[in-house]
């Protein structure tokens, strides 16, 4: 599969979601929350004849990597309500997510799940 076709389809998805979000906060968030990118990645992997184990690993690790991103989606609206600047909110959300990744990695390691 052409890399340009991958770029085109993936970019079109992001543009579609952002256009819907301009018109409806809820619908844009709903569509954006769907695992479109991960699904596309698994489709690209399948089309490019990656081993099923590799695709399964991708899905497995995606599950664990989504968890530490969740607090950001609660932190950012709270910071916006405090009249924080967009870039400061975005940076704080990113730092919080990074910290959550570290904590989750350490906690899961105790249960035999190695994310690093």
């Amino acid at each position: 599969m052409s890399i340009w076709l991958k770029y085109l389809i993936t970019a079109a998805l992001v543009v579609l979601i952002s256009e819907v979000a301009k018109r409806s906060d809820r619908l844009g968030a709903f569509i954006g929350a769907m695992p479109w990118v991960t699904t596309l990645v698994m489709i690209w992997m399948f089309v490019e004849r990656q081993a099923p184990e590799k695709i399964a690993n991708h899905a497995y690790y995606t599950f664990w990597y989504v968890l530490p991103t969740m607090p950001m989606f609660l932190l950012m609206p709270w910071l916006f309500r405090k009249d924080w600047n967009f870039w400061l909110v975005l940076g704080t959300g990113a730092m919080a997510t990074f910290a959550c990744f570290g904590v989750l990695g350490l906690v899961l390691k105790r249960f035999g799940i190695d994310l690093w």
Side-chain angles (χ1 to χ4, degrees):
M1 173 171 285
S2 166
I3 194 159
W4 294 109
L5 182 58
K6 286 191 217 177
Y7 281 137
L8 180 65
I9 292 170
T10 305
L13 179 62
V14 172
V15 170
L16 172 71
I17 294 167
S18 69
E19 290 299 312
V20 170
K22 282 197 275 187
R23 290 158 183 73
S24 171
D25 297 336
R26 288 183 184 159
L27 185 57
F30 176 74
I31 295 169
M34 296 295 119
W36 300 110
V37 173
T38 299
T39 301
L40 281 173
V41 169
M42 291 188 292
I43 291 169
W44 303 150
M45 292 172 76
F46 174 77
V47 168
E48 294 170 353
R49 300 190 189 334
Q50 294 291 318
E53 181 180 338
K54 188 123 177 121
I55 298 170
N57 283 340
H58 181 80
Y60 175 79
Y61 286 114
T62 297
F63 170 80
W64 292 112
Y65 291 144
V66 163
L67 295 177
T69 68
M70 293 294 111
M72 177 186 76
F73 295 110
L74 294 175
L75 176 64
M76 289 179 69
W78 183 77
L79 293 175
F80 276 124
R81 286 187 199 107
K82 301 289 181 188
D83 290 325
W84 282 35
N85 170 284
F86 171 79
W87 296 109
L88 189 55
V89 169
L90 194 62
T92 303
M95 287 188 297
T97 300
F98 186 74
C100 288
F101 269 104
V103 170
L104 182 69
L106 293 173
V107 169
L108 290 179
K109 194 168 206 138
R110 291 177 168 225
F111 294 97
I113 301 170
D114 187 13
L115 297 180
W116 302 327

